[in-house]
Amino acid sequence: GDRSDTHDDQDGLSDLDELLAGSNPLLRDSDSDGLDDNVDVCPTIANSINPNRGQDSDEDGVCTPIDECDHFA
């Protein structure tokens, strides 16, 4: 990306925020699941399901894609 541009992919997240989240600051949708990083609850794991209706495989009350996302660990 452009070193003088702090928001290369124009997805609503700054490059720094994307780096901290582990997402790609050059891609609007780092995990290619159809959700831009700024609205994706887990921008590094493809999970196009709605987290409010999502699966909870271990029945801990937290949606499986969020359980599996390092960003929320």
Side-chain angles (χ1 to χ4, degrees), residues 7-70:
H7 189 187
D8 285 311
D9 61 10
Q10 303 301 309
D11 65 358
L13 296 174
S14 72
D15 291 350
L16 177 59
D17 287 340
E18 293 222 45
L19 291 172
L20 293 173
S23 57
N24 187 331
L26 301 177
L27 298 174
R28 292 181 70 92
D29 179 11
S30 295
D31 57 11
S32 301
D33 65 358
L35 298 171
D36 283 356
D37 293 342
N38 66 322
V39 296
D40 196 335
V41 296
C42 186
T44 60
I45 295 177
N47 59 315
S48 58
I49 63 171
N50 181 328
N52 297 317
R53 296 188 333 252
Q55 300 171 356
D56 183 11
S57 60
D58 59 5
E59 299 181 353
D60 66 352
V62 178
C63 181
T64 299
I66 295 174
D67 272 339
E68 296 172 352
C69 181
D70 293 337

